[in-house]
Structures are given as C-alpha cells and as structure tokens.
Amino acid sequence: MSDALGPGELVLCVNAAPNHVTGQPVPLVAGETYRVLEVMDFACPCGRSDALLDVGVGFAWCQTRFRHLPKPKATTRTRRASTPKKLQPV
C-alpha cells in the first residue's frame, strides 16, 4: 500500500483499536477520513506493514489502520446558455 500512497492522499480509518505496540488508546476515529502528510518507509513493529503513515494526529500510524480512498474523478459538464426567443411582429 505504501507504493500507492503519497503526501496529500486521502485515507479512511478502519481500525481505531488501541495501539498494538504500547496498548495506549489512539486519538483516531474509525470512519473518519484523514489526509496523509508523510509516508515513512519503516517496518511497523507488528510486522504487518512496511510503512507508517503520518496523518497529523499523534505520531505515525501503522498503514493497516487505513484504507486508501480513490481520488474523486473530475467530470466536465457542458452547459447550454439560454438565448432569448425572437418574437415575430404581428
């Protein structure tokens, strides 16, 4: 997952369980969207991921707590301009 992520990407928190290394409660909220500030290539002590994510809350978190959200697709719409109707003289 760290290959696909970079600074500015959006991730969804899916696991707000206590810290799996220290057992301390985490300030993350399950179901909340966070923006990645930095991806640090570091083997997490749990052994389940190869990178830690800095999302601006606390310190860096194991990437297994998050799911990558796709970027919203930009769509272009063509709008029709309304033109005044021509009146015929009677």
Side-chain angles (χ1 to χ4, degrees):
M1 181 166 129
S2 61
D3 295 337
L5 283 178
E9 297 283 335
L10 292 176
V11 290
L12 177 71
C13 178
V14 294
N15 183 0
N19 189 314
H20 52 257
V21 176
T22 64
Q24 298 289 330
V26 299
L28 300 172
V29 178
E32 288 285 321
T33 302
Y34 297 94
R35 186 169 303 275
V36 175
L37 300 176
E38 185 179 358
V39 178
M40 294 172 263
D41 291 327
F42 178 78
C44 185
C46 71
R48 294 181 289 187
S49 68
D50 59 350
L52 298 176
L53 303 180
D54 182 6
V55 294
V57 177
F59 186 61
W61 302 100
C62 179
Q63 67 182 0
T64 59
R65 293 186 180 271
F66 302 98
R67 294 294 173 260
H68 184 225
L69 291 176
K71 290 184 180 178
K73 294 182 181 179
T75 58
T76 58
R77 287 193 226 169
T78 56
R79 295 185 180 184
R80 294 187 301 172
S82 61
T83 58
K85 294 182 181 181
K86 294 185 179 183
L87 300 175
Q88 295 180 353
V90 181

